[in-house]
mmCIF file with all atom_site columns, all heavy atoms in Angstrom:
data_model
loop_
_atom_site.group_PDB
_atom_site.id
_atom_site.type_symbol
_atom_site.label_atom_id
_atom_site.label_alt_id
_atom_site.label_comp_id
_atom_site.label_asym_id
_atom_site.label_entity_id
_atom_site.label_seq_id
_atom_site.pdbx_PDB_ins_code
_atom_site.Cartn_x
_atom_site.Cartn_y
_atom_site.Cartn_z
_atom_site.occupancy
_atom_site.B_iso_or_equiv
_atom_site.pdbx_formal_charge
_atom_site.auth_seq_id
_atom_site.auth_comp_id
_atom_site.auth_asym_id
_atom_site.auth_atom_id
_atom_site.pdbx_PDB_model_num
ATOM 1   N N   . ALA R 1 1  ? 2.434   10.532 -20.629 1.00 0.00 ? 1  ALA R N   1
ATOM 2   C CA  . ALA R 1 1  ? 1.629   9.317  -20.521 1.00 0.00 ? 1  ALA R CA  1
ATOM 3   C C   . ALA R 1 1  ? 0.134   9.628  -20.571 1.00 0.00 ? 1  ALA R C   1
ATOM 4   O O   . ALA R 1 1  ? -0.633  8.944  -21.259 1.00 0.00 ? 1  ALA R O   1
ATOM 5   C CB  . ALA R 1 1  ? 1.968   8.580  -19.225 1.00 0.00 ? 1  ALA R CB  1
ATOM 6   N N   . PHE R 1 2  ? -0.292  10.671 -19.858 1.00 0.00 ? 2  PHE R N   1
ATOM 7   C CA  . PHE R 1 2  ? -1.698  11.049 -19.872 1.00 0.00 ? 2  PHE R CA  1
ATOM 8   C C   . PHE R 1 2  ? -2.134  11.511 -21.266 1.00 0.00 ? 2  PHE R C   1
ATOM 9   O O   . PHE R 1 2  ? -3.244  11.196 -21.717 1.00 0.00 ? 2  PHE R O   1
ATOM 10  C CB  . PHE R 1 2  ? -1.962  12.164 -18.858 1.00 0.00 ? 2  PHE R CB  1
ATOM 11  C CG  . PHE R 1 2  ? -2.339  11.670 -17.498 1.00 0.00 ? 2  PHE R CG  1
ATOM 12  C CD1 . PHE R 1 2  ? -1.564  11.976 -16.391 1.00 0.00 ? 2  PHE R CD1 1
ATOM 13  C CD2 . PHE R 1 2  ? -3.474  10.892 -17.312 1.00 0.00 ? 2  PHE R CD2 1
ATOM 14  C CE1 . PHE R 1 2  ? -1.907  11.518 -15.122 1.00 0.00 ? 2  PHE R CE1 1
ATOM 15  C CE2 . PHE R 1 2  ? -3.825  10.427 -16.061 1.00 0.00 ? 2  PHE R CE2 1
ATOM 16  C CZ  . PHE R 1 2  ? -3.046  10.745 -14.962 1.00 0.00 ? 2  PHE R CZ  1
ATOM 17  N N   . LYS R 1 3  ? -1.258  12.248 -21.937 1.00 0.00 ? 3  LYS R N   1
ATOM 18  C CA  . LYS R 1 3  ? -1.600  12.704 -23.283 1.00 0.00 ? 3  LYS R CA  1
ATOM 19  C C   . LYS R 1 3  ? -1.837  11.519 -24.208 1.00 0.00 ? 3  LYS R C   1
ATOM 20  O O   . LYS R 1 3  ? -2.795  11.507 -24.995 1.00 0.00 ? 3  LYS R O   1
ATOM 21  C CB  . LYS R 1 3  ? -0.472  13.588 -23.834 1.00 0.00 ? 3  LYS R CB  1
ATOM 22  C CG  . LYS R 1 3  ? -0.756  14.110 -25.240 1.00 0.00 ? 3  LYS R CG  1
ATOM 23  C CD  . LYS R 1 3  ? 0.375   14.993 -25.744 1.00 0.00 ? 3  LYS R CD  1
ATOM 24  C CE  . LYS R 1 3  ? 0.090   15.482 -27.159 1.00 0.00 ? 3  LYS R CE  1
ATOM 25  N NZ  . LYS R 1 3  ? 1.200   16.325 -27.682 1.00 0.00 ? 3  LYS R NZ  1
ATOM 26  N N   . ARG R 1 4  ? -0.965  10.518 -24.114 1.00 0.00 ? 4  ARG R N   1
ATOM 27  C CA  . ARG R 1 4  ? -1.132  9.335  -24.959 1.00 0.00 ? 4  ARG R CA  1
ATOM 28  C C   . ARG R 1 4  ? -2.425  8.604  -24.614 1.00 0.00 ? 4  ARG R C   1
ATOM 29  O O   . ARG R 1 4  ? -3.163  8.177  -25.513 1.00 0.00 ? 4  ARG R O   1
ATOM 30  C CB  . ARG R 1 4  ? 0.066   8.401  -24.784 1.00 0.00 ? 4  ARG R CB  1
ATOM 31  C CG  . ARG R 1 4  ? -0.085  7.076  -25.525 1.00 0.00 ? 4  ARG R CG  1
ATOM 32  C CD  . ARG R 1 4  ? 1.135   6.203  -25.370 1.00 0.00 ? 4  ARG R CD  1
ATOM 33  N NE  . ARG R 1 4  ? 0.868   4.876  -25.908 1.00 0.00 ? 4  ARG R NE  1
ATOM 34  C CZ  . ARG R 1 4  ? 0.361   3.873  -25.210 1.00 0.00 ? 4  ARG R CZ  1
ATOM 35  N NH1 . ARG R 1 4  ? 0.098   4.036  -23.925 1.00 0.00 ? 4  ARG R NH1 1
ATOM 36  N NH2 . ARG R 1 4  ? 0.123   2.705  -25.780 1.00 0.00 ? 4  ARG R NH2 1
ATOM 37  N N   . ARG R 1 5  ? -2.725  8.461  -23.329 1.00 0.00 ? 5  ARG R N   1
ATOM 38  C CA  . ARG R 1 5  ? -3.906  7.707  -22.934 1.00 0.00 ? 5  ARG R CA  1
ATOM 39  C C   . ARG R 1 5  ? -5.196  8.445  -23.259 1.00 0.00 ? 5  ARG R C   1
ATOM 40  O O   . ARG R 1 5  ? -6.249  7.815  -23.397 1.00 0.00 ? 5  ARG R O   1
ATOM 41  C CB  . ARG R 1 5  ? -3.854  7.399  -21.437 1.00 0.00 ? 5  ARG R CB  1
ATOM 42  C CG  . ARG R 1 5  ? -2.626  6.586  -21.049 1.00 0.00 ? 5  ARG R CG  1
ATOM 43  C CD  . ARG R 1 5  ? -2.813  5.867  -19.740 1.00 0.00 ? 5  ARG R CD  1
ATOM 44  N NE  . ARG R 1 5  ? -1.617  5.124  -19.356 1.00 0.00 ? 5  ARG R NE  1
ATOM 45  C CZ  . ARG R 1 5  ? -1.219  3.999  -19.902 1.00 0.00 ? 5  ARG R CZ  1
ATOM 46  N NH1 . ARG R 1 5  ? -1.930  3.475  -20.883 1.00 0.00 ? 5  ARG R NH1 1
ATOM 47  N NH2 . ARG R 1 5  ? -0.118  3.390  -19.491 1.00 0.00 ? 5  ARG R NH2 1
ATOM 48  N N   . LEU R 1 6  ? -5.121  9.752  -23.416 1.00 0.00 ? 6  LEU R N   1
ATOM 49  C CA  . LEU R 1 6  ? -6.320  10.532 -23.711 1.00 0.00 ? 6  LEU R CA  1
ATOM 50  C C   . LEU R 1 6  ? -6.552  10.747 -25.203 1.00 0.00 ? 6  LEU R C   1
ATOM 51  O O   . LEU R 1 6  ? -7.695  10.974 -25.631 1.00 0.00 ? 6  LEU R O   1
ATOM 52  C CB  . LEU R 1 6  ? -6.244  11.900 -23.013 1.00 0.00 ? 6  LEU R CB  1
ATOM 53  C CG  . LEU R 1 6  ? -6.320  11.876 -21.483 1.00 0.00 ? 6  LEU R CG  1
ATOM 54  C CD1 . LEU R 1 6  ? -6.085  13.280 -20.917 1.00 0.00 ? 6  LEU R CD1 1
ATOM 55  C CD2 . LEU R 1 6  ? -7.676  11.344 -21.016 1.00 0.00 ? 6  LEU R CD2 1
ATOM 56  N N   . TYR R 1 7  ? -5.475  10.666 -26.011 1.00 0.00 ? 7  TYR R N   1
ATOM 57  C CA  . TYR R 1 7  ? -5.619  11.018 -27.425 1.00 0.00 ? 7  TYR R CA  1
ATOM 58  C C   . TYR R 1 7  ? -5.187  9.912  -28.397 1.00 0.00 ? 7  TYR R C   1
ATOM 59  O O   . TYR R 1 7  ? -5.575  9.956  -29.566 1.00 0.00 ? 7  TYR R O   1
ATOM 60  C CB  . TYR R 1 7  ? -4.810  12.295 -27.735 1.00 0.00 ? 7  TYR R CB  1
ATOM 61  C CG  . TYR R 1 7  ? -5.303  13.513 -26.996 1.00 0.00 ? 7  TYR R CG  1
ATOM 62  C CD1 . TYR R 1 7  ? -4.624  13.992 -25.880 1.00 0.00 ? 7  TYR R CD1 1
ATOM 63  C CD2 . TYR R 1 7  ? -6.467  14.174 -27.398 1.00 0.00 ? 7  TYR R CD2 1
ATOM 64  C CE1 . TYR R 1 7  ? -5.075  15.104 -25.185 1.00 0.00 ? 7  TYR R CE1 1
ATOM 65  C CE2 . TYR R 1 7  ? -6.921  15.287 -26.713 1.00 0.00 ? 7  TYR R CE2 1
ATOM 66  C CZ  . TYR R 1 7  ? -6.224  15.749 -25.612 1.00 0.00 ? 7  TYR R CZ  1
ATOM 67  O OH  . TYR R 1 7  ? -6.676  16.842 -24.926 1.00 0.00 ? 7  TYR R OH  1
ATOM 68  N N   . ASP R 1 8  ? -4.374  8.962  -27.960 1.00 0.00 ? 8  ASP R N   1
ATOM 69  C CA  . ASP R 1 8  ? -3.907  7.937  -28.887 1.00 0.00 ? 8  ASP R CA  1
ATOM 70  C C   . ASP R 1 8  ? -5.017  6.913  -29.151 1.00 0.00 ? 8  ASP R C   1
ATOM 71  O O   . ASP R 1 8  ? -5.524  6.296  -28.213 1.00 0.00 ? 8  ASP R O   1
ATOM 72  C CB  . ASP R 1 8  ? -2.687  7.216  -28.304 1.00 0.00 ? 8  ASP R CB  1
ATOM 73  C CG  . ASP R 1 8  ? -2.124  6.200  -29.281 1.00 0.00 ? 8  ASP R CG  1
ATOM 74  O OD1 . ASP R 1 8  ? -1.347  6.598  -30.157 1.00 0.00 ? 8  ASP R OD1 1
ATOM 75  O OD2 . ASP R 1 8  ? -2.466  5.012  -29.156 1.00 0.00 ? 8  ASP R OD2 1
ATOM 76  N N   . PRO R 1 9  ? -5.431  6.728  -30.419 1.00 0.00 ? 9  PRO R N   1
ATOM 77  C CA  . PRO R 1 9  ? -6.538  5.807  -30.722 1.00 0.00 ? 9  PRO R CA  1
ATOM 78  C C   . PRO R 1 9  ? -6.250  4.381  -30.267 1.00 0.00 ? 9  PRO R C   1
ATOM 79  O O   . PRO R 1 9  ? -7.140  3.687  -29.767 1.00 0.00 ? 9  PRO R O   1
ATOM 80  C CB  . PRO R 1 9  ? -6.671  5.886  -32.249 1.00 0.00 ? 9  PRO R CB  1
ATOM 81  C CG  . PRO R 1 9  ? -6.066  7.205  -32.614 1.00 0.00 ? 9  PRO R CG  1
ATOM 82  C CD  . PRO R 1 9  ? -4.956  7.419  -31.637 1.00 0.00 ? 9  PRO R CD  1
ATOM 83  N N   . GLY R 1 10 ? -4.998  3.925  -30.436 1.00 0.00 ? 10 GLY R N   1
ATOM 84  C CA  . GLY R 1 10 ? -4.665  2.568  -30.021 1.00 0.00 ? 10 GLY R CA  1
ATOM 85  C C   . GLY R 1 10 ? -4.800  2.374  -28.533 1.00 0.00 ? 10 GLY R C   1
ATOM 86  O O   . GLY R 1 10 ? -5.307  1.348  -28.060 1.00 0.00 ? 10 GLY R O   1
ATOM 87  N N   . ALA R 1 11 ? -4.339  3.379  -27.751 1.00 0.00 ? 11 ALA R N   1
ATOM 88  C CA  . ALA R 1 11 ? -4.428  3.278  -26.295 1.00 0.00 ? 11 ALA R CA  1
ATOM 89  C C   . ALA R 1 11 ? -5.879  3.367  -25.821 1.00 0.00 ? 11 ALA R C   1
ATOM 90  O O   . ALA R 1 11 ? -6.281  2.677  -24.875 1.00 0.00 ? 11 ALA R O   1
ATOM 91  C CB  . ALA R 1 11 ? -3.590  4.373  -25.642 1.00 0.00 ? 11 ALA R CB  1
ATOM 92  N N   . LEU R 1 12 ? -6.674  4.201  -26.486 1.00 0.00 ? 12 LEU R N   1
ATOM 93  C CA  . LEU R 1 12 ? -8.064  4.383  -26.073 1.00 0.00 ? 12 LEU R CA  1
ATOM 94  C C   . LEU R 1 12 ? -8.879  3.107  -26.190 1.00 0.00 ? 12 LEU R C   1
ATOM 95  O O   . LEU R 1 12 ? -9.823  2.887  -25.418 1.00 0.00 ? 12 LEU R O   1
ATOM 96  C CB  . LEU R 1 12 ? -8.713  5.488  -26.925 1.00 0.00 ? 12 LEU R CB  1
ATOM 97  C CG  . LEU R 1 12 ? -8.280  6.925  -26.622 1.00 0.00 ? 12 LEU R CG  1
ATOM 98  C CD1 . LEU R 1 12 ? -8.810  7.879  -27.678 1.00 0.00 ? 12 LEU R CD1 1
ATOM 99  C CD2 . LEU R 1 12 ? -8.766  7.340  -25.233 1.00 0.00 ? 12 LEU R CD2 1
ATOM 100 N N   . THR R 1 13 ? -8.528  2.248  -27.126 1.00 0.00 ? 13 THR R N   1
ATOM 101 C CA  . THR R 1 13 ? -9.331  1.041  -27.356 1.00 0.00 ? 13 THR R CA  1
ATOM 102 C C   . THR R 1 13 ? -9.073  -0.055 -26.332 1.00 0.00 ? 13 THR R C   1
ATOM 103 O O   . THR R 1 13 ? -9.935  -0.915 -26.140 1.00 0.00 ? 13 THR R O   1
ATOM 104 C CB  . THR R 1 13 ? -9.063  0.480  -28.761 1.00 0.00 ? 13 THR R CB  1
ATOM 105 O OG1 . THR R 1 13 ? -7.659  0.219  -28.908 1.00 0.00 ? 13 THR R OG1 1
ATOM 106 C CG2 . THR R 1 13 ? -9.488  1.477  -29.833 1.00 0.00 ? 13 THR R CG2 1
ATOM 107 N N   . VAL R 1 14 ? -7.911  -0.063 -25.682 1.00 0.00 ? 14 VAL R N   1
ATOM 108 C CA  . VAL R 1 14 ? -7.559  -1.185 -24.800 1.00 0.00 ? 14 VAL R CA  1
ATOM 109 C C   . VAL R 1 14 ? -7.348  -0.789 -23.344 1.00 0.00 ? 14 VAL R C   1
ATOM 110 O O   . VAL R 1 14 ? -7.303  -1.650 -22.471 1.00 0.00 ? 14 VAL R O   1
ATOM 111 C CB  . VAL R 1 14 ? -6.283  -1.896 -25.312 1.00 0.00 ? 14 VAL R CB  1
ATOM 112 C CG1 . VAL R 1 14 ? -6.520  -2.481 -26.691 1.00 0.00 ? 14 VAL R CG1 1
ATOM 113 C CG2 . VAL R 1 14 ? -5.088  -0.936 -25.342 1.00 0.00 ? 14 VAL R CG2 1
ATOM 114 N N   . GLN R 1 15 ? -7.229  0.500  -23.046 1.00 0.00 ? 15 GLN R N   1
ATOM 115 C CA  . GLN R 1 15 ? -6.878  0.894  -21.684 1.00 0.00 ? 15 GLN R CA  1
ATOM 116 C C   . GLN R 1 15 ? -8.057  0.722  -20.728 1.00 0.00 ? 15 GLN R C   1
ATOM 117 O O   . GLN R 1 15 ? -9.228  0.767  -21.132 1.00 0.00 ? 15 GLN R O   1
ATOM 118 C CB  . GLN R 1 15 ? -6.392  2.338  -21.664 1.00 0.00 ? 15 GLN R CB  1
ATOM 119 C CG  . GLN R 1 15 ? -7.441  3.370  -22.045 1.00 0.00 ? 15 GLN R CG  1
ATOM 120 C CD  . GLN R 1 15 ? -6.812  4.736  -22.261 1.00 0.00 ? 15 GLN R CD  1
ATOM 121 O OE1 . GLN R 1 15 ? -5.611  4.907  -22.251 1.00 0.00 ? 15 GLN R OE1 1
ATOM 122 N NE2 . GLN R 1 15 ? -7.653  5.733  -22.480 1.00 0.00 ? 15 GLN R NE2 1
ATOM 123 N N   . GLN R 1 16 ? -7.716  0.514  -19.457 1.00 0.00 ? 16 GLN R N   1
ATOM 124 C CA  . GLN R 1 16 ? -8.687  0.365  -18.389 1.00 0.00 ? 16 GLN R CA  1
ATOM 125 C C   . GLN R 1 16 ? -8.316  1.304  -17.257 1.00 0.00 ? 16 GLN R C   1
ATOM 126 O O   . GLN R 1 16 ? -7.136  1.573  -17.024 1.00 0.00 ? 16 GLN R O   1
ATOM 127 C CB  . GLN R 1 16 ? -8.719  -1.083 -17.889 1.00 0.00 ? 16 GLN R CB  1
ATOM 128 C CG  . GLN R 1 16 ? -9.111  -2.103 -18.946 1.00 0.00 ? 16 GLN R CG  1
ATOM 129 C CD  . GLN R 1 16 ? -9.003  -3.521 -18.424 1.00 0.00 ? 16 GLN R CD  1
ATOM 130 O OE1 . GLN R 1 16 ? -8.232  -3.798 -17.504 1.00 0.00 ? 16 GLN R OE1 1
ATOM 131 N NE2 . GLN R 1 16 ? -9.769  -4.423 -19.003 1.00 0.00 ? 16 GLN R NE2 1
ATOM 132 N N   . PHE R 1 17 ? -9.328  1.770  -16.534 1.00 0.00 ? 17 PHE R N   1
ATOM 133 C CA  . PHE R 1 17 ? -9.056  2.731  -15.462 1.00 0.00 ? 17 PHE R CA  1
ATOM 134 C C   . PHE R 1 17 ? -8.154  2.115  -14.391 1.00 0.00 ? 17 PHE R C   1
ATOM 135 O O   . PHE R 1 17 ? -7.157  2.718  -13.984 1.00 0.00 ? 17 PHE R O   1
ATOM 136 C CB  . PHE R 1 17 ? -10.368 3.196  -14.833 1.00 0.00 ? 17 PHE R CB  1
ATOM 137 C CG  . PHE R 1 17 ? -10.160 4.108  -13.652 1.00 0.00 ? 17 PHE R CG  1
ATOM 138 C CD1 . PHE R 1 17 ? -9.895  5.459  -13.837 1.00 0.00 ? 17 PHE R CD1 1
ATOM 139 C CD2 . PHE R 1 17 ? -10.215 3.619  -12.352 1.00 0.00 ? 17 PHE R CD2 1
ATOM 140 C CE1 . PHE R 1 17 ? -9.679  6.304  -12.747 1.00 0.00 ? 17 PHE R CE1 1
ATOM 141 C CE2 . PHE R 1 17 ? -10.000 4.446  -11.262 1.00 0.00 ? 17 PHE R CE2 1
ATOM 142 C CZ  . PHE R 1 17 ? -9.734  5.790  -11.469 1.00 0.00 ? 17 PHE R CZ  1
ATOM 143 N N   . ALA R 1 18 ? -8.496  0.899  -13.929 1.00 0.00 ? 18 ALA R N   1
ATOM 144 C CA  . ALA R 1 18 ? -7.750  0.288  -12.829 1.00 0.00 ? 18 ALA R CA  1
ATOM 145 C C   . ALA R 1 18 ? -6.310  -0.003 -13.206 1.00 0.00 ? 18 ALA R C   1
ATOM 146 O O   . ALA R 1 18 ? -5.405  0.106  -12.370 1.00 0.00 ? 18 ALA R O   1
ATOM 147 C CB  . ALA R 1 18 ? -8.444  -0.991 -12.376 1.00 0.00 ? 18 ALA R CB  1
ATOM 148 N N   . ASN R 1 19 ? -6.073  -0.350 -14.461 1.00 0.00 ? 19 ASN R N   1
ATOM 149 C CA  . ASN R 1 19 ? -4.733  -0.784 -14.862 1.00 0.00 ? 19 ASN R CA  1
ATOM 150 C C   . ASN R 1 19 ? -3.891  0.342  -15.439 1.00 0.00 ? 19 ASN R C   1
ATOM 151 O O   . ASN R 1 19 ? -2.659  0.306  -15.339 1.00 0.00 ? 19 ASN R O   1
ATOM 152 C CB  . ASN R 1 19 ? -4.839  -1.910 -15.895 1.00 0.00 ? 19 ASN R CB  1
ATOM 153 C CG  . ASN R 1 19 ? -3.512  -2.591 -16.136 1.00 0.00 ? 19 ASN R CG  1
ATOM 154 O OD1 . ASN R 1 19 ? -2.846  -3.024 -15.209 1.00 0.00 ? 19 ASN R OD1 1
ATOM 155 N ND2 . ASN R 1 19 ? -3.114  -2.679 -17.397 1.00 0.00 ? 19 ASN R ND2 1
ATOM 156 N N   . ASP R 1 20 ? -4.527  1.337  -16.051 1.00 0.00 ? 20 ASP R N   1
ATOM 157 C CA  . ASP R 1 20 ? -3.782  2.365  -16.777 1.00 0.00 ? 20 ASP R CA  1
ATOM 158 C C   . ASP R 1 20 ? -3.837  3.745  -16.140 1.00 0.00 ? 20 ASP R C   1
ATOM 159 O O   . ASP R 1 20 ? -2.851  4.481  -16.190 1.00 0.00 ? 20 ASP R O   1
ATOM 160 C CB  . ASP R 1 20 ? -4.314  2.455  -18.218 1.00 0.00 ? 20 ASP R CB  1
ATOM 161 C CG  . ASP R 1 20 ? -4.101  1.172  -18.988 1.00 0.00 ? 20 ASP R CG  1
ATOM 162 O OD1 . ASP R 1 20 ? -2.936  0.839  -19.254 1.00 0.00 ? 20 ASP R OD1 1
ATOM 163 O OD2 . ASP R 1 20 ? -5.082  0.491  -19.319 1.00 0.00 ? 20 ASP R OD2 1
ATOM 164 N N   . PHE R 1 21 ? -4.977  4.111  -15.538 1.00 0.00 ? 21 PHE R N   1
ATOM 165 C CA  . PHE R 1 21 ? -5.092  5.447  -14.969 1.00 0.00 ? 21 PHE R CA  1
ATOM 166 C C   . PHE R 1 21 ? -4.827  5.483  -13.465 1.00 0.00 ? 21 PHE R C   1
ATOM 167 O O   . PHE R 1 21 ? -4.189  6.411  -12.962 1.00 0.00 ? 21 PHE R O   1
ATOM 168 C CB  . PHE R 1 21 ? -6.490  6.029  -15.256 1.00 0.00 ? 21 PHE R CB  1
ATOM 169 C CG  . PHE R 1 21 ? -6.640  6.563  -16.645 1.00 0.00 ? 21 PHE R CG  1
ATOM 170 C CD1 . PHE R 1 21 ? -7.252  5.805  -17.623 1.00 0.00 ? 21 PHE R CD1 1
ATOM 171 C CD2 . PHE R 1 21 ? -6.162  7.817  -16.982 1.00 0.00 ? 21 PHE R CD2 1
ATOM 172 C CE1 . PHE R 1 21 ? -7.387  6.289  -18.914 1.00 0.00 ? 21 PHE R CE1 1
ATOM 173 C CE2 . PHE R 1 21 ? -6.285  8.321  -18.264 1.00 0.00 ? 21 PHE R CE2 1
ATOM 174 C CZ  . PHE R 1 21 ? -6.909  7.542  -19.236 1.00 0.00 ? 21 PHE R CZ  1
ATOM 175 N N   . PHE R 1 22 ? -5.314  4.471  -12.753 1.00 0.00 ? 22 PHE R N   1
ATOM 176 C CA  . PHE R 1 22 ? -5.181  4.497  -11.300 1.00 0.00 ? 22 PHE R CA  1
ATOM 177 C C   . PHE R 1 22 ? -3.723  4.551  -10.836 1.00 0.00 ? 22 PHE R C   1
ATOM 178 O O   . PHE R 1 22 ? -3.393  5.328  -9.924  1.00 0.00 ? 22 PHE R O   1
ATOM 179 C CB  . PHE R 1 22 ? -5.895  3.286  -10.689 1.00 0.00 ? 22 PHE R CB  1
ATOM 180 C CG  . PHE R 1 22 ? -5.936  3.304  -9.188  1.00 0.00 ? 22 PHE R CG  1
ATOM 181 C CD1 . PHE R 1 22 ? -6.604  4.318  -8.503  1.00 0.00 ? 22 PHE R CD1 1
ATOM 182 C CD2 . PHE R 1 22 ? -5.306  2.316  -8.448  1.00 0.00 ? 22 PHE R CD2 1
ATOM 183 C CE1 . PHE R 1 22 ? -6.642  4.346  -7.124  1.00 0.00 ? 22 PHE R CE1 1
ATOM 184 C CE2 . PHE R 1 22 ? -5.335  2.331  -7.058  1.00 0.00 ? 22 PHE R CE2 1
ATOM 185 C CZ  . PHE R 1 22 ? -6.004  3.348  -6.395  1.00 0.00 ? 22 PHE R CZ  1
ATOM 186 N N   . PRO R 1 23 ? -2.799  3.768  -11.426 1.00 0.00 ? 23 PRO R N   1
ATOM 187 C CA  . PRO R 1 23 ? -1.388  3.889  -11.003 1.00 0.00 ? 23 PRO R CA  1
ATOM 188 C C   . PRO R 1 23 ? -0.828  5.287  -11.217 1.00 0.00 ? 23 PRO R C   1
ATOM 189 O O   . PRO R 1 23 ? -0.072  5.790  -10.376 1.00 0.00 ? 23 PRO R O   1
ATOM 190 C CB  . PRO R 1 23 ? -0.665  2.859  -11.890 1.00 0.00 ? 23 PRO R CB  1
ATOM 191 C CG  . PRO R 1 23 ? -1.722  1.897  -12.297 1.00 0.00 ? 23 PRO R CG  1
ATOM 192 C CD  . PRO R 1 23 ? -2.967  2.693  -12.422 1.00 0.00 ? 23 PRO R CD  1
ATOM 193 N N   . LEU R 1 24 ? -1.192  5.922  -12.335 1.00 0.00 ? 24 LEU R N   1
ATOM 194 C CA  . LEU R 1 24 ? -0.712  7.277  -12.592 1.00 0.00 ? 24 LEU R CA  1
ATOM 195 C C   . LEU R 1 24 ? -1.302  8.270  -11.600 1.00 0.00 ? 24 LEU R C   1
ATOM 196 O O   . LEU R 1 24 ? -0.621  9.209  -11.156 1.00 0.00 ? 24 LEU R O   1
ATOM 197 C CB  . LEU R 1 24 ? -1.067  7.695  -14.016 1.00 0.00 ? 24 LEU R CB  1
ATOM 198 C CG  . LEU R 1 24 ? -0.364  6.938  -15.150 1.00 0.00 ? 24 LEU R CG  1
ATOM 199 C CD1 . LEU R 1 24 ? -0.863  7.414  -16.506 1.00 0.00 ? 24 LEU R CD1 1
ATOM 200 C CD2 . LEU R 1 24 ? 1.143   7.101  -15.060 1.00 0.00 ? 24 LEU R CD2 1
ATOM 201 N N   . ILE R 1 25 ? -2.557  8.064  -11.222 1.00 0.00 ? 25 ILE R N   1
ATOM 202 C CA  . ILE R 1 25 ? -3.188  8.955  -10.239 1.00 0.00 ? 25 ILE R CA  1
ATOM 203 C C   . ILE R 1 25 ? -2.479  8.838  -8.886  1.00 0.00 ? 25 ILE R C   1
ATOM 204 O O   . ILE R 1 25 ? -2.256  9.845  -8.192  1.00 0.00 ? 25 ILE R O   1
ATOM 205 C CB  . ILE R 1 25 ? -4.690  8.625  -10.112 1.00 0.00 ? 25 ILE R CB  1
ATOM 206 C CG1 . ILE R 1 25 ? -5.416  8.999  -11.408 1.00 0.00 ? 25 ILE R CG1 1
ATOM 207 C CG2 . ILE R 1 25 ? -5.311  9.356  -8.930  1.00 0.00 ? 25 ILE R CG2 1
ATOM 208 C CD1 . ILE R 1 25 ? -6.860  8.551  -11.457 1.00 0.00 ? 25 ILE R CD1 1
ATOM 209 N N   . LEU R 1 26 ? -2.116  7.609  -8.507  1.00 0.00 ? 26 LEU R N   1
ATOM 210 C CA  . LEU R 1 26 ? -1.388  7.415  -7.252  1.00 0.00 ? 26 LEU R CA  1
ATOM 211 C C   . LEU R 1 26 ? -0.046  8.138  -7.278  1.00 0.00 ? 26 LEU R C   1
ATOM 212 O O   . LEU R 1 26 ? 0.323   8.842  -6.324  1.00 0.00 ? 26 LEU R O   1
ATOM 213 C CB  . LEU R 1 26 ? -1.177  5.928  -6.996  1.00 0.00 ? 26 LEU R CB  1
ATOM 214 C CG  . LEU R 1 26 ? -2.394  5.105  -6.570  1.00 0.00 ? 26 LEU R CG  1
ATOM 215 C CD1 . LEU R 1 26 ? -2.019  3.635  -6.426  1.00 0.00 ? 26 LEU R CD1 1
ATOM 216 C CD2 . LEU R 1 26 ? -2.962  5.628  -5.248  1.00 0.00 ? 26 LEU R CD2 1
#
């Protein structure tokens, strides 16, 4: 999931820290 959020162009354009990264960090 982290790999996709860091390198996928489609994910990079729409992702948000609170909605996409914070749950994974928890």
Side-chain angles (χ1 to χ4, degrees):
F2 270 119
K3 180 179 179 181
R4 174 178 171 271
R5 300 201 182 286
L6 292 174
Y7 296 103
D8 184 83
L12 287 170
T13 57
V14 298
Q15 65 191 7
Q16 299 175 334
F17 176 81
N19 192 52
D20 297 293
F21 281 99
F22 186 63
L24 293 177
I25 292 172
L26 287 177

